[in-house]
Amino acid sequence: MNAVALVKQVPDRNSAFRPAGDWIDESSLGYGINDYDRYAVEAALGLKEAGHAAETVAVTAGPADAGQVLRSCLAMGADRGVHLITDRAHLADPFFVARALANAVSGLDAGVVFAGLLAEDSGHGQVGGLVAGLLGYSFASAATGLHFRDGRLEAHRELEGGRIAVVELRLPAVVAVQTGINTPRYASLRGIMASRRKPVERIELAAPADGGGLRRLTLGRPERGASAEILPGSPQEAAAALVSRMRAGAGISFPGDAA
Amino acid sequence: MSRRVLILAERSESGITDASYELIEAASRLAGGPDGVSAVLPVGDASEAEGLREVLPAGELLLVEGPAHASPTADGTAAAVLHAREASGAECVLLPHDPVGWDVAPLVAARLGTAAATAVSALSWREDGIAAKRSAFLGKFVQEVEAPGLPAVATVERGAFPAREPGPALSVRILPSPVGPGDLRSRLVEVRDAGAGGVDLTAADVVVAAGRGLGGPENLDIVRELANALGGVVGASRAVTDAGWLPHELQIGSSGATVSPKLYVACAISGAIQHLVGMRGSRFVVAINKDPDAPIFGAADVGIVGDALEVIPALTEAVRNSG
């Protein structure tokens, strides 16, 4: 039984994004691994290190240069990668992506499949769950903890109000992890060297058929219906102006106020 | 054109959740009125739902009943939703964009051979499908998507629609569940309250929240000093608690605490939608951020664009000197 991590290549989060057409201007962006997915990779590595998985396999769908995120997974310690090659534009439909990933995962003898809770760019937050649904695997989202005992996987899920649901999952299972579930390791120099010799299987995907799950229409900045009044001046000037606004707006006094 | 819309209703100790009433409002607008809304409630025993009929203002309440639903699970709830969808003939299924919806929506969508439109704030019909406005790039952008084909599935962002007032359901149907406990692949072991760390964020009049833009835990002291000067408590964004700078119980947002203080000061928080959901009830919101495009300024009353490491100490000083 293997541990699988589903990862996505996304634009660097510190880029200056500009909407263009139905998506962003991609002409001068740096790319890297989706932050949430680093936690998925770490969870998969942890499962193997604890003796519950034979191999860790990282799987991605994306264009040729998305191979870089598989390399970073291999450098972290994953044993091998599977790259489902498709145009970046085809990643617009989570159903297309999930079906391709599910096909790949079904041949990997997966015990547990980890995914990030969502991708920083599209933010659909459902590819892991779709893969589980398509394969008939168990599923838990928003996992902040994992325990493995007697061949059973226990996931801690974060609910609203800070409550935690403890869920027992039959294997195979897909777990969509929250950031903070673990501390993703950095690749060591040795890991980076070793990653060059690790195998990556490349599979060309056929273009999506008509229909599918989702199509992009537009992308824009949110309306600022009730946008903040920005206070001008130096930090000191702005801060001084802010104090009276806070007192009046919130209708409260502060500890230092004269009684 | 009137098409039926199904929502998943959720129970809490105090009855039906606010999220459910927001879903009913969203569904009612899409269906052209509350009569076109069906609400599904999975129950272990239909007697649990006595009285709920009076407060669920939908066209029909579908109780999917069976021991598999005595406690909720992702696959059990998904099976109940799919069963109710067939029974109601609904052409769109709405779920909350919260940990319940994140679990259930993709399982429902996969079975219907589609993807869900998630984090949705507006919905409309297309000739054959739906169009939805949703949040993308962690709240930085609003995206419009089309989900071709019906039935469609969507998860609705908290607060995007007002909660509908409670009222009676026109009819109630009890549907025997299509799944038994042995069919389920997951089991709810327990729900734990997070250990409150002694600070009750939800009861505080003033919350000063720390964000990732502060750079590191060594810079939290200036936030604590500001909170002290304001007589408030320190909270945090998810990025800060994930990074271990502050304990998880101080996290404000859809997966953490929901606060409604009189004064909320967001320090170097960009304002991802998941954070905004947790502080939207605040009376007066102040944002301090160096990025003038940060979404937090759209949720604030007053803002200062600048380096939080300079502005926060200046504000603390100004508060102390103002008494």
Side-chain angles (χ1 to χ4, degrees):
Chain A
M1 172 186 115
N2 296 320
V4 175
L6 306 179
V7 298
K8 184 182 185 186
Q9 184 199 41
V10 296
D12 184 81
R13 69 158 69 196
N14 296 316
S15 307
F17 297 119
R18 282 183 302 121
D22 65 6
W23 196 232
I24 52 166
D25 178 359
E26 293 177 324
S27 55
S28 58
L29 291 175
Y31 284 86
I33 186 171
N34 178 44
D35 193 48
Y36 288 80
D37 300 343
R38 294 167 53 238
Y39 297 84
V41 175
E42 179 62 40
L45 296 174
L47 207 62
K48 179 185 168 181
E49 284 162 0
H52 300 303
E55 267 194 319
T56 52
V57 189
V59 185
T60 195
D65 72 1
Q68 70 163 147
V69 301
L70 290 180
R71 284 292 153 203
S72 51
C73 297
L74 299 179
M76 281 174 75
D79 296 304
R80 57 193 172 102
V82 178
H83 186 174
L84 309 172
I85 298 168
T86 189
D87 286 359
R88 204 184 298 285
H90 295 156
L91 303 180
D93 178 11
F95 189 71
F96 169 75
V97 173
R99 200 160 39 183
L101 292 171
N103 271 337
V105 167
S106 66
L108 291 177
D109 185 25
V112 188
V113 179
F114 294 100
L117 181 62
L118 54 87
E120 292 165 53
D121 54 355
S122 51
H124 293 298
Q126 62 179 311
V127 166
L130 288 173
V131 168
L134 290 168
L135 293 174
Y137 289 7
S138 322
F139 179 56
S141 69
T144 54
L146 286 174
H147 299 279
F148 218 98
R149 42 178 88 97
D150 313 328
R152 285 178 176 176
L153 183 65
E154 220 176 68
H156 290 193
R157 298 190 60 231
E158 200 173 49
L159 303 180
E160 288 190 308
R163 290 170 309 140
I164 299 288
V166 181
V167 184
E168 192 181 271
L169 302 170
R170 281 199 227 163
L171 300 185
V174 178
V175 178
V177 301
Q178 263 289 12
T179 54
I181 187 172
N182 51 37
T183 308
R185 68 194 68 184
Y186 287 98
S188 65
L189 189 59
R190 230 173 88 190
I192 294 168
M193 300 298 285
S195 73
R196 294 180 187 157
R197 293 187 301 274
K198 291 178 177 173
V200 172
E201 184 185 358
R202 291 182 180 79
I203 301 168
E204 292 275 353
L205 294 181
D210 284 350
L214 289 183
R215 275 204 287 268
R216 291 171 183 158
L217 297 177
T218 64
L219 189 80
R221 296 189 188 279
E223 286 168 34
R224 289 283 176 78
S227 196
E229 175 197 0
I230 303 296
L231 300 177
S234 69
Q236 287 70 25
E237 289 161 351
L242 181 52
V243 174
S244 55
R245 304 288 173 98
M246 289 197 303
R247 203 179 266 119
I252 52 173
S253 56
F254 302 136
D257 289 5
Chain B
M1 178 171 51
S2 125
R3 287 163 162 167
R4 186 152 282 280
V5 178
L6 177 71
I7 69 125
L8 172 65
E10 290 177 87
R11 280 175 294 176
S12 67
E13 295 84 31
S14 48
I16 298 294
T17 62
D18 289 347
S20 304
Y21 287 114
E22 293 175 13
L23 283 182
I24 294 175
E25 177 64 27
S28 174
R29 291 184 190 184
L30 195 58
D35 296 1
V37 179
S38 301
V40 55
L41 188 66
V43 288
D45 187 308
S47 64
E48 296 164 34
E50 263 174 46
L52 292 181
R53 175 187 181 156
E54 298 310 313
V55 295
L56 230 140
E60 63 174 351
L61 170 58
L62 302 170
L63 300 172
V64 177
E65 181 189 40
H69 307 297
S71 60
T73 58
D75 48 350
T77 304
V81 168
L82 285 160
H83 191 55
R85 199 220 57 85
E86 264 183 46
S88 64
E91 297 195 87
C92 183
V93 179
L94 300 185
L95 300 158
H97 191 68
D98 67 10
V100 172
W102 301 341
D103 249 18
V104 176
L107 297 182
V108 170
R111 281 285 297 277
L112 295 173
T114 187
T118 61
V120 161
S121 57
L123 286 156
S124 59
W125 296 109
R126 290 253 163 171
E127 198 172 319
D128 177 35
I130 59 166
K133 264 191 192 172
R134 58 181 303 276
S135 152
F137 285 83
L138 305 175
K140 226 178 169 73
F141 295 130
V142 176
Q143 182 186 32
E144 253 183 300
V145 294
E146 178 187 18
L150 295 171
V153 182
T155 65
V156 177
E157 197 73 76
R158 282 300 309 278
F161 294 87
R164 201 170 179 90
E165 288 298 317
L170 295 184
S171 66
V172 181
R173 270 202 280 169
I174 299 175
L175 307 173
S177 176
V179 290
D183 300 324
L184 299 184
R185 297 183 51 87
S186 54
R187 182 176 76 87
L188 181 67
V189 179
E190 60 170 331
V191 176
R192 290 180 196 157
D193 276 324
V199 178
D200 190 359
L201 278 176
T202 58
D205 273 349
V206 177
V207 174
V208 180
R212 188 207 290 260
L214 289 166
E218 65 278 10
N219 294 325
L220 289 173
D221 278 345
I222 59 173
V223 175
R224 293 192 183 99
E225 281 168 31
L226 177 59
N228 279 339
L230 293 171
V233 300
V234 172
S237 72
R238 165 148 219 124
V240 163
T241 57
D242 280 349
W245 302 355
L246 285 169
H248 270 284
E249 51 269 28
L250 296 186
Q251 186 211 325
I252 294 160
S254 56
S255 54
T258 301
V259 299
S260 46
K262 292 174 178 164
L263 174 62
Y264 189 83
V265 184
C267 301
I269 289 177
S270 68
I273 184 74
Q274 289 79 4
H275 182 77
L276 301 184
V277 167
M279 48 68 77
R280 150 144 65 201
S282 308
R283 185 190 294 176
F284 193 75
V285 176
V286 173
I288 299 165
N289 201 295
K290 67 174 190 295
D291 175 8
D293 288 330
I296 190 74
F297 287 117
D301 295 290
V302 178
I304 296 180
V305 176
D307 183 351
L309 301 187
E310 288 180 38
V311 175
I312 295 166
L315 183 56
T316 305
E317 195 62 26
V319 170
R320 284 185 182 143
N321 293 338
S322 73

